[in-house]
Structures are given as C-alpha cells and as structure tokens.
Amino acid sequence: MDKELVIVLDFGGQYNQLIARRIRECNVYCEVYPYTLGIEKIKEMAPKGIIFTGGPDSVYNEESPRCEKEMLELGIPVLGICYGSQLMSYLLGGTVKTAPVSEFGKTEVETDGGSVLFQEVPKNIIAWMSHTDYISQAPEGFRVCATTSVCPVAAMENKEKKLYATQFHPEVMHTQYGKKILSNFVYNVCRCTGSWKMSSFVDEAIKSLRNKIGNGKVLCALSGGVDSSVAAVLLSKAVGRQLTCVFADHGLLRKNEGDEVEAVFGPDGPYELDFIRVNCQERFYEKLKGITEPEQKRKIIGEEFIRVFEEEAKKIGAVDFLVQGTIYPDVIESGLGKSAVIKSHHNVGGLPDCVDFKEIIEPLRMLFKDEVRKAGIELGIPEHLVYRQPFPGPGLGIRIIGEVTAEKCRIVQDADAIYREEINKAGIGKNLGQYFAALTNMRSVGVMGDYRTYDYAVVLRAVNTSDFMTAEPAQIPWEVLGKTASRIVNEVKGVNRVLYDCTGKPPATIEFE
Ligand code: XMP
C-alpha cells in the first residue's frame, strides 16, 4: 500500500463516517470497515492507525461485536472511542462497568497535558459523551489521562504499545478541540505525514475503477445533480467511451431541468460522453397514479428508474456495470448500516431486489456532500455545476405531498422557479444549503377578484446545512418571502396560499417525504 491509510473499525456507532471524514480533513486517507474485517486483512492493508468506533452494545454481552485481542498487539496505533475504548479495556484486562450515572451530551472533561493525545488542548474542555457503561479501572500498563466527575477513565493511554482511548467522542462538533485530539493521534502517534488530498482520492478512484471495470461496458444513471454528475465525470475519466450516461427525464424534475442537463452532458456539452436522454414522463405518472404513501412512492420511482436503465442497457448490449452517485447520507438514512430507516433514498434503499446488472458501482459512497463537491472541483467540473442545489433522485415525487399528477408537477415547478428566481435576485442563494418549493395536499378557501377560490397551498423551504444530516431553517428576509408569495399566487394557476416551513432537521427532514 503506497498511501497512508487509517482504518475505522465500525462497531455500530452513529458517528463512524464522521470519524473517517475528520481524519480525511487532517489530510490522511481513511476508510470505514466492519469490525469483522479480521486481523489478516488488516496486516495486508498495513494501516498507519486503527480507530475503534462507539456502538450501542455492552462489552459483557455475549453477542456484542468484538475483534481479536491480537489486533492490539500488532504495533499499529489504536484509538478506541466510547464502546471502542471499553472494548480495548475489556480485551486487555481492565474493568468495564455500568456507570452510576449515564453521561449524555456536553460534559466537562479534565485532560492531562502530559498525554500526546491532548497536546495543545486546554486542561478543561467540554466533550460529547453518550454512554451507560464506563471503564472503572484501566488495564495494567495504561495511564489515565482524562477524567470527568463521573468517569474515572475518560481517556487512557499506553504510550509504549501506542494504544489510546477516549470515553467521549472527539469526532463530534460539540467536543471542543475534538479535531485537534484526532489530529494528535494521526500525526503524533501514527506518524502520518498528511500528504493525502481530495486529488489523491480522485486519482485512486480512477485507478481502482479501471481495475474493476477492465474492458467492460458501464451505464451511469445520470440525473444532472451534483452527485451523479461527479460520478459520471469520474467514470468518463476512468473508462472513457466504455461509459454511457443515461438521463431518465421522469417528469419529476425542476422547470426546464431536462434541457439544462442535456445542454451540459449532451453532444453539445463540454464532456466526451455517450449521452442518452429517455423521456419517460407518462410512464412514471402512470405508475404513481393513486399512490400517496411516501415510502411506496420512493420505491416505485426507484424501481422504475432501474427498469429504464435496464432497458437502455439491453439496447446498448453487454453492459455489466451500473454506476450511481450514491453518497454517504443516502446510505445511512436508508438504514443500510445498523441505523434506523429514515427514508429509502431512491438509489439505495429504493432499489428493487432484483437488478439486471452484474454489479452496481457507487464510487462516492463514503463521501459527504461537501467532499463530493471538492472531488468535483478536482475533476474540473465548473463551479456552477458543483455548487448546484442538491436535488433528490425521486424529484418532485417527494415534494408533492400525496398523489402525484402532471398538473401538480406543473404547479410545483412553476412555484419553485419563481422562488429560486427571487432568492437569486436577492443574492442570498449561495449561503443557503438547500431551498425549494413543495406542494402540500391541502386545499383551502381564498378570494381572488370577487371570486371564491378553493386551491392548493405551496410551501417554501430553505435550510442551512453543510452535511445534510442535520439542518436549521434559514431566516429568509421577509421582503423576499413576501415577493415570492405574491408572485406565486398571481402567476401560478391553482395556488391561493403560500406557507413557509420553520422546522429544522431533526425533528423534520429536509424533503417533505
Ligand atoms: P432529507 O429529506 O432526508 O434529505 O433530510 C437529505 C438530503 O438528501 C436529499 N435526498 C435524496 N437524494 N435520493 C437522493 O439522491 C433520494 O432519494 C433523496 N432523498 C432526499 C435531499 O434533497 C437532501 O439534500
């Protein structure tokens, strides 16, 4: 292995990819693997360091996830976090118990400057805790290097064996100096040099895609959104004309979007791609007729997409691989890890059980949205494309609450176009994570001219977010909202009321379904 690698071993915690992302932010390449990876594989991969994640289990339960004790004897530095720290202690003969008081949330921690982990970290910090068990006694050979009022061992180290552990979560934003603690581990313990950049990811991904695909033919499911565009350009750099991009215009896109995507990726655009646009609006509307349940809509749209791609693949002939621009939040919210299903993102959990491709390739699966954007810039994709608003695969299908019809699509497309125009005129779009109009299935009474109306209510949404896993409602200036509302009711037939959504994520989600 010619690059510095840190491995995160996943014991079922919530923040596993966040740890990997923080390490990548330190310019050290990092990947997450299941805790079952095994010692032989680890030896082969020769990582510079290993991080054990948190997890919901108790080390004393028979079925709790465990790794071999020998993993701690390889001479490779290990950092255990939360459950990972308890596991380290348990495997090496320390004592883990149920804490007299559980600690959840922000907790005062007293650190010991003598530890390399806490170099340039103040003595007293606030750290994020989430545990019911704790290490009551560190294993022999370990020194306690942080405590809380509840935890006698909030962090411990065995310098000689390069083993470190924290009961708290340094990867979480709420932990003060958390990134510094992780960077102390990768630089001062693992001795990484920090030479990795997003350009290295791009180069590595191109190399491994070439290896995997060989002379095979690839079909990329292109929606024109940031993720699938980055995936398409990555693939085109890797395998050139072996790639065909198929853009399914399902009639659930934003206003004029189909033509805009074609202008960029079609024959007149800057990329050397084989591009096929499939106009399949009617087919999707037909499938969605009478369907109101959000998950069912998502699954239908996801399945229909795949059927379109399969049909196109048959026409091209001998296509082995389907490429999708799935990114990490799609995976986690579709509940493919240990986490609960929030919603089935169409390119992940919305996939039908049986898919007529040899393999599905998702080269961006472990990246967060902002990392995908950095990869896009590295690939030379123009900024206006890379910084486009994210748009969900099921499109307006999940922005129209209740049954989807062509008429409702027209309403939400027109309202959304007005909203976007007003946001852009006001020059506030760049600071917003995502903003769009959706259609409620509520109709209410209004008056226009001297007539009674009984029309739909459009809802406007704008959120601030960087990772799309959490979001705050954005404070859009009243003049912008007022102008947008007035234009929508005047210009969009079928709407007599405009609402603004003031909820964050959690408890809401960004999309409505
Ligand atoms: P939620 O609504 O889950 O959205 O808070 C988080 C981010 O994911 C986008 N999103 C999707 N993207 N396929 C996608 O490619 C999907 O099925 C899907 N559902 C939501 C959403 O627009 C937001 O950016």
Side-chain angles (χ1 to χ4, degrees):
M1 172 88 31
D2 55 357
K3 70 177 175 205
E4 290 180 338
L5 170 72
V6 167
I7 285 179
V8 171
L9 273 197
D10 179 357
F11 287 93
Q14 285 176 63
Y15 307 122
N16 305 340
Q17 278 292 346
L18 203 51
I19 302 172
R21 178 215 166 100
R22 294 280 177 257
I23 303 296
R24 295 197 292 266
E25 281 173 2
C26 298
N27 296 327
V28 173
Y29 189 62
C30 187
E31 283 182 359
V32 180
Y33 289 94
Y35 72 92
T36 48
L37 185 64
I39 198 150
E40 291 311 317
K41 189 74 191 156
I42 294 222
K43 280 193 207 158
E44 205 181 290
M45 295 166 96
K48 299 284 281 184
I50 304 171
I51 300 180
F52 291 179
T53 72
D57 298 276
S58 172
V59 286
Y60 288 108
N61 288 347
E62 278 293 304
E63 351 41 89
S64 292
R66 302 215 179 121
C67 61
E68 303 96 324
K69 181 178 171 210
E70 294 75 52
M71 210 171 276
L72 300 168
E73 293 163 355
L74 293 172
I76 301 174
V78 179
L79 170 66
I81 295 176
C82 196
Y83 175 84
S85 75
Q86 294 161 13
L87 182 67
M88 182 185 284
S89 177
Y90 171 81
L91 291 174
L92 297 175
T95 317
V96 178
K97 281 190 178 154
T98 303
V101 189
S102 304
E103 286 173 304
F104 288 107
K106 292 181 182 175
T107 308
E108 274 181 42
V109 174
E110 191 172 322
T111 69
D112 164 352
S115 167
V116 76
L117 214 52
F118 298 117
Q119 250 173 36
E120 294 173 43
V121 174
K123 192 170 161 47
N124 295 297
I125 55 168
I126 300 291
W128 188 259
M129 287 280 196
S130 178
H131 68 106
T132 36
D133 283 1
Y134 72 171
I135 303 171
S136 59
Q137 197 177 358
E140 214 181 298
F142 275 74
R143 194 176 77 85
V144 174
C145 49
T147 53
T148 72
S149 60
V150 172
C151 263
V153 189
M156 61 179 194
E157 65 175 6
N158 183 329
K159 218 167 145 187
E160 217 172 277
K161 297 201 164 139
K162 299 186 205 147
L163 302 179
Y164 292 79
T166 63
Q167 178 59 66
F168 58 88
H169 289 269
E171 72 278 19
V172 170
M173 203 181 63
H174 307 291
T175 295
Q176 293 172 337
Y177 294 87
K179 196 166 156 195
K180 180 70 191 150
I181 294 166
L182 290 172
S183 103
N184 282 340
F185 176 68
V186 291
Y187 286 116
N188 302 342
V189 181
C190 305
R191 299 279 163 206
C192 293
T193 58
S195 52
W196 183 81
K197 294 192 275 332
M198 201 35 97
S199 56
S200 327
F201 167 81
V202 167
D203 294 344
E204 289 286 331
I206 289 175
K207 248 192 257 166
S208 85
L209 286 167
R210 277 188 192 140
N211 272 344
K212 181 184 272 262
I213 294 164
N215 295 323
K217 283 198 214 165
V218 188
L219 187 151
C220 178
L222 180 67
S223 71
V226 183
D227 308 337
S228 67
S229 300
V230 171
V233 175
L234 190 63
L235 258 296
S236 124
K237 297 231 170 182
V239 296
R241 291 282 180 179
Q242 286 161 253
L243 168 73
T244 304
C245 289
V246 176
F247 167 55
D249 186 344
H250 52 10
L252 304 167
L253 296 170
R254 286 167 288 196
K255 194 170 182 174
N256 302 328
E257 193 162 19
D259 296 341
E260 284 165 17
V261 172
E262 188 165 356
V264 175
F265 291 100
D268 301 330
Y271 300 107
E272 286 200 13
L273 293 171
D274 285 329
F275 174 87
I276 298 173
R277 175 174 176 171
V278 187
N279 290 316
C280 42
Q281 295 88 342
E282 290 314 320
R283 169 173 176 172
F284 276 77
Y285 294 152
E286 194 53 42
K287 286 270 171 191
L288 288 168
K289 212 178 232 170
I291 308 293
T292 55
E293 204 278 314
E295 276 299 287
Q296 213 186 340
K297 285 204 260 179
R298 284 177 166 272
K299 301 261 178 192
I300 289 173
I301 298 169
E303 159 135 26
E304 212 48 26
F305 252 119
I306 293 288
R307 300 299 167 232
V308 170
F309 298 134
E310 283 171 352
E311 285 163 25
E312 292 307 311
K314 280 215 178 75
K315 289 184 206 158
I316 299 165
V319 176
D320 289 330
F321 303 98
L322 172 71
V323 174
Q324 299 201 117
T326 316
I327 68 169
Y328 180 65
D330 301 336
V331 177
I332 194 77
E333 299 205 339
S334 296
L336 296 192
K338 272 194 155 194
S339 16
V341 179
I342 309 295
K343 39 180 101 163
S344 309
H345 282 205
H346 96 264
N347 43 3
V348 194
L351 220 55
D353 293 338
C354 182
V355 174
D356 198 8
F357 289 93
K358 198 167 105 191
E359 201 176 331
I360 294 184
I361 301 180
E362 297 173 316
L364 311 174
R365 197 179 169 87
M366 57 163 211
L367 300 187
F368 286 79
K369 187 69 117 198
D370 52 334
E371 293 183 303
V372 172
R373 290 194 160 124
K374 279 191 200 146
I377 295 290
E378 287 297 332
L379 284 162
I381 303 177
E383 279 202 20
H384 72 271
L385 282 184
V386 167
Y387 288 99
R388 277 187 91 183
Q389 285 278 299
F391 187 65
L396 302 181
I398 56 167
R399 290 185 180 172
I400 293 169
I401 300 170
E403 189 187 9
V404 176
T405 63
E407 170 65 358
K408 287 182 181 175
C409 283
R410 195 262 315 151
I411 292 178
V412 76
Q413 278 174 339
D414 288 348
D416 182 69
I418 291 172
Y419 186 34
R420 282 189 288 136
E421 201 181 308
E422 290 303 324
I423 294 260
N424 290 337
K425 266 201 247 163
I428 55 174
K430 255 204 147 175
N431 303 326
L432 299 171
Q434 200 167 358
Y435 54 94
F436 56 86
L439 190 64
T440 71
N441 58 359
M442 176 190 96
R443 289 204 294 162
S444 65
V445 175
V447 54
M448 269 189 190
D450 288 331
Y451 291 99
R452 175 188 194 270
T453 58
Y454 187 58
D455 281 335
Y456 284 109
V458 158
V459 58
L460 305 178
R461 181 122 173 89
V463 293
N464 294 317
T465 177
S466 63
D467 57 14
F468 297 85
M469 305 275 284
T470 58
E472 294 286 338
Q475 295 190 22
I476 303 289
W478 175 245
E479 311 80 72
V480 180
L481 285 180
K483 176 96 186 288
T484 306
S486 136
R487 280 193 59 196
I488 290 176
V489 287
N490 282 312
E491 294 174 35
V492 184
K493 194 166 168 286
V495 180
N496 66 356
R497 216 174 268 268
V498 177
L499 313 172
Y500 186 71
D501 182 351
C502 306
T503 2
K505 171 185 179 178
T509 53
I510 296 176
E511 303 291 346
F512 284 80
E513 292 192 333

